Amino acid sequence: MRLVNFAFKMATFMISLWVCVTSLAALIAAIFSGFSIYLAYLHWKYSHIPGPKRDSFFSGNLPYILTERAKGKTIFEMVDELHGTHGPVVLLFVFNNPFTFVSDPELVRKCVITLNLPKNPRVYAHLGYPFGQRLAGRGVLNETDHDVWQKRRALLNPAFHRRYLMNLMSSFNDSCNLFLEKLGEMADGKTVVNMAEEFARVTLDVIGKVAFNVDVDTIQDANSPFPSSVYKCLKGVMLSLRTPFWRISVSTFADQRSVIEACQFIRNFGKKVILDRQEAVLRGENTPPDILTHILSVKEKQASITTEDLVDDFVTFFVAGQETTSNQLSFTLYEILRHPNVENRIVKEIEDILGSRQFLEYKDLGNLQFLGQTLKEGLGLHPPIGGITRVSTRDENIGGYIFPAGTSVNISQFLMHRHSDSWKDPLQFDPDRFSPEAKGEIPHSVYFPFSLGPRTCIGQTFAQIEARVFMARLLQQFELTLCPGQDNMKHEEALTLRPKGGVLCTLKRRNEN
């Protein structure tokens, strides 16, 4: 009897197991069939937009992208080649995600200015929350609701007005003094200095002191955790974007943990700075009218704003304000040192304007005309932000092709700054293309290193003051020489575009006997 009962129970169990397995298999088959039908529908829906043939029905153009990336190409360099084959509008598929790329001055203007396409929330969600960890959240850069963004931007604008920034020259010069003092210790003509790393450190120091009145001490402290944390955060955003199934991707678990820890470190630092300032205000202490003050004013005027929301804006300015200027200085210095005639003109201009005076006053910035042209050309050939992404909210005719509602529209500064139909010798480093005589010849929609349209970078004036001060004083005091083997600078994508391998130089005091 027991044997019969056992057999009956086993039979019942096996039947139940078979039903479960069959049901699960049926569910998986239904999901797979549904996804395949949906994917086929998307391919048909976008079949009229030109682009390379998909390598795979399911992964789309991902194999091609990975192959080209393995060759050291950035996504912008890949798309540049595709535009040459397929025209100014190109489509790439990654799994079930269609991405369009637009490369034509009129189409750029139409997308960003005429249509004023909003930022793509699917993309900016990764900047706000890489791997689900809050980084920049819904700060002023990431906010995709135009009305919400406009109100917050209006409250923050005064912190970046020239009338305020011109009073910060002492702070810029003080940080520069520390920077040059450190370089002076290595200015023996032999010691190899990675200027990209040094620029990264000093720009962190500046954004800390000038914007938030805190000393992060990155110039002197070789073990400061800030440079590596910022880099990990930015790389994490890229990895998060490029790993659609990161929640189940075992191969990225270690990277995810590293990124999450870096995000937490930066945000905890920002929260402490904010809380310390709020306590100082409550104690009645005098506090500087810096960017942090204006960030806090947002909470005063919008009661719904939380401390975490304030940290979003802190992180946005702390990371973006440092990274873009650092890369601009690195790339521009690299080009200056490759073009001795450019360097000589800058040094002569500095001598004429400053003489032996080392402190830069606000009025000096405008008088350093050729240096300003050179920095603009550096941004042209090597824009720190390689591209912007928008999304169509309804069906739009762009370049003769109907972009369905919800289409990701990608526009690249990197490509437009090298657009052969818009620039003469676009790959040549020529600061004179930004001279007062030639400036009017540059179409507005082919040069936009700080973005284009209503969503231009709020910190661009801050960044350009900082860049002029540091480049002028660096070249005034030091003669730099590129180390051999850097004839063809490559770009590294870490959300921003960085000089791959850095900028390796030796230094000696200028006019040193």
Side-chain angles (χ1 to χ4, degrees):
M1 190 66 179
R2 290 181 179 179
L3 185 60
V4 172
N5 287 337
F6 176 75
F8 177 76
K9 290 179 180 180
M10 283 298 298
T12 302
F13 172 76
M14 293 302 294
I15 292 171
S16 299
L17 181 62
W18 180 83
V19 170
C20 289
V21 171
T22 303
S23 300
L24 181 60
L27 178 61
I28 293 173
I31 293 173
F32 179 78
S33 298
F35 180 74
S36 299
I37 293 171
Y38 171 65
L39 200 55
Y41 165 72
L42 283 179
H43 292 168
W44 168 81
K45 187 177 180 179
Y46 285 89
S47 60
H48 61 289
I49 300 178
K53 183 179 179 181
R54 292 183 298 277
D55 302 286
S56 164
F57 176 79
F58 290 103
S59 62
N61 299 110
L62 183 59
Y64 160 77
I65 294 172
L66 294 177
T67 298
E68 294 301 298
R69 190 176 294 151
K71 298 177 183 177
K73 294 181 182 178
T74 66
I75 186 64
F76 308 110
E77 291 166 330
M78 297 178 212
V79 173
D80 190 25
E81 295 178 358
L82 294 175
H83 280 305
T85 303
H86 301 282
V89 176
V90 169
L91 171 72
L92 287 174
F93 256 99
V94 177
F95 295 108
N96 60 319
N97 298 304
F99 296 94
T100 60
F101 296 84
V102 173
S103 177
D104 175 85
E106 292 304 316
L107 298 184
V108 168
R109 176 178 291 274
K110 180 174 183 177
C111 292
V112 183
I113 298 178
T114 305
L115 298 177
N116 190 20
L117 297 179
K119 289 190 171 183
N120 190 338
R122 293 177 61 188
V123 172
Y124 282 89
H126 289 276
L127 179 57
Y129 300 85
F131 296 123
Q133 174 64 43
R134 192 168 186 169
L135 177 58
R138 296 191 64 176
V140 69
L141 174 64
N142 293 342
E143 180 56 63
T144 56
D145 185 312
H146 185 76
D147 291 336
V148 174
W149 166 82
Q150 197 169 37
K151 291 176 183 177
R152 184 176 292 187
R153 173 72 177 252
L155 293 173
L156 293 170
N157 275 336
F160 296 91
H161 196 281
R162 287 184 183 275
R163 286 195 300 269
Y164 166 68
L165 295 176
M166 65 189 298
N167 295 319
L168 299 177
M169 294 303 294
S170 291
S171 298
F172 284 119
N173 278 279
D174 288 345
S175 290
C176 196
N177 289 339
L178 295 174
F179 172 62
L180 297 176
E181 180 181 336
K182 179 183 179 183
L183 292 181
E185 298 171 358
M186 301 179 283
D188 56 8
K190 299 177 183 178
T191 301
V192 176
V193 180
N194 187 338
M195 289 302 298
E197 288 185 359
E198 299 304 324
F199 282 136
R201 291 180 175 278
V202 71
T203 48
L204 273 172
D205 190 80
V206 168
I207 199 70
K209 288 182 178 177
V210 177
F212 307 114
N213 197 36
V214 293
D215 189 358
V216 295
D217 194 29
T218 52
I219 296 177
Q220 297 295 338
D221 184 4
N223 298 315
S224 170
F226 288 99
S228 62
S229 294
V230 170
Y231 179 73
K232 288 176 184 177
C233 288
L234 294 175
K235 288 289 285 187
V237 173
M238 288 297 299
L239 188 59
S240 177
L241 275 166
R242 291 174 174 176
T243 314
F245 307 113
W246 57 267
R247 287 179 177 84
I248 57 174
S249 175
V250 177
S251 62
T252 65
F253 278 179
D255 289 326
Q256 290 182 41
R257 173 47 51 191
S258 176
V259 170
I260 289 170
E261 290 175 353
C263 291
Q264 291 173 340
F265 172 77
I266 295 294
R267 285 192 67 87
N268 288 338
F269 171 72
K271 185 180 293 186
K272 183 179 185 304
V273 171
I274 288 171
L275 294 177
D276 287 348
R277 175 65 64 85
Q278 289 175 327
E279 291 175 3
V281 171
L282 290 175
R283 291 193 298 267
E285 297 178 9
N286 290 327
T287 55
D290 54 14
I291 293 173
L292 181 56
T293 294
H294 286 83
I295 289 177
L296 296 182
S297 73
V298 173
K299 184 174 178 61
E300 296 174 5
K301 298 174 182 178
Q302 294 183 6
S304 61
I305 297 294
T306 67
T307 299
E308 291 299 327
D309 295 328
L310 299 180
V311 176
D312 290 344
D313 280 333
F314 176 94
V315 171
T316 297
F317 295 130
F318 186 79
V319 174
Q322 177 271 334
E323 179 71 10
T324 52
T325 306
S326 169
N327 293 336
Q328 178 193 6
L329 287 167
S330 299
F331 279 122
T332 304
L333 178 65
Y334 167 78
E335 293 291 355
I336 289 173
L337 299 183
R338 291 182 65 241
H339 297 84
N341 59 319
V342 172
E343 181 180 8
N344 292 337
R345 288 178 64 181
I346 293 174
V347 172
K348 177 65 167 55
E349 181 179 69
I350 293 171
E351 291 175 350
D352 293 342
I353 302 299
L354 299 182
S356 60
R357 175 167 54 90
Q358 295 182 356
F359 185 96
L360 254 75
E361 300 176 2
Y362 182 77
K363 65 180 181 180
D364 296 324
L365 301 179
N367 293 328
L368 293 168
Q369 174 65 41
F370 187 70
L371 174 59
Q373 293 173 205
T374 304
L375 288 165
K376 289 179 180 178
E377 178 69 348
L379 283 172
L381 202 55
H382 308 283
I385 302 297
I388 57 178
T389 180
R390 298 290 188 262
V391 63
S392 58
T393 56
R394 60 185 182 185
D395 291 0
E396 298 285 1
N397 187 324
I398 299 175
Y401 303 99
I402 299 299
F403 281 36
T407 298
S408 174
V409 183
N410 297 276
I411 298 162
S412 171
Q413 292 98 312
F414 185 88
L415 299 185
M416 296 312 299
H417 291 184
R418 298 165 177 241
H419 194 254
S420 58
D421 293 337
S422 303
W423 302 90
K424 179 181 178 182
D425 300 322
L427 299 184
Q428 179 181 335
F429 189 76
D430 179 17
D432 282 324
R433 73 172 92 242
F434 289 97
S435 66
E437 297 78 18
K439 190 175 180 180
E441 301 174 6
I442 301 173
H444 182 55
S445 52
V446 299
Y447 182 78
F448 46 100
F450 296 99
S451 194
L452 191 63
R455 298 294 294 257
T456 53
C457 175
I458 190 174
Q460 59 181 296
T461 303
F462 182 103
Q464 292 319 289
I465 291 176
E466 181 182 4
R468 290 198 190 197
V469 170
F470 278 85
M471 192 64 77
R473 293 197 56 190
L474 173 66
L475 295 179
Q476 180 192 45
Q477 294 198 30
F478 294 104
E479 181 179 338
L480 298 95
T481 303
L482 280 176
C483 295
Q486 300 180 88
D487 297 328
N488 185 21
M489 176 62 71
K490 298 291 186 180
H491 296 84
E492 176 188 0
E493 287 180 277
L495 189 59
T496 58
L497 291 178
R498 294 175 163 215
K500 190 170 185 177
V503 180
L504 306 181
C505 303
T506 56
L507 302 84
K508 64 179 182 179
R509 298 281 182 180
R510 193 168 290 280
N511 301 320
E512 188 178 69
N513 293 328

